Amino acid sequence: MALNATAPADVDRAGEILTDEALAAIESLHRSFAGRRQELLGQRDTTANSACTAGIGEQELIGLAHHKAGAPPLSTPGGT
């Protein structure tokens, strides 16, 4: 697979960033992780669909994900 990248015209020195070596590194990462990435995205869709069916709102789902990851609780609007 060959990667082609284009940068908006207003990005100065894009050619110095999007070098052949940089694009090859991105391509290598894609080859290594694309399958797992797709698997995780599919799991996320399944979880979101299940939550929707169960009547769990988006904020509750995000809070649950933070809790499962061991992150501190999210603040809610109004500071509660």
Side-chain angles (χ1 to χ4, degrees):
M1 168 180 120
L3 278 179
N4 292 317
T6 57
D10 63 344
V11 175
D12 293 336
R13 300 170 56 188
E16 294 177 41
I17 298 167
L18 300 173
T19 63
D20 290 341
E21 293 82 10
L23 293 175
I26 293 168
E27 183 177 356
S28 176
L29 288 170
H30 175 72
R31 285 183 183 166
S32 296
F33 298 108
R36 179 68 175 144
R37 181 176 154 268
Q38 290 301 319
E39 179 184 329
L40 291 171
L41 288 171
Q43 288 175 7
R44 183 178 71 180
D45 289 343
T46 300
T47 300
N49 289 336
S50 296
C52 184
T53 301
I56 298 173
E58 181 180 0
Q59 289 302 313
E60 290 85 358
L61 187 59
I62 292 169
L64 178 60
H66 277 252
H67 175 73
K68 288 176 70 174
L74 296 172
S75 61
T76 57
T80 59

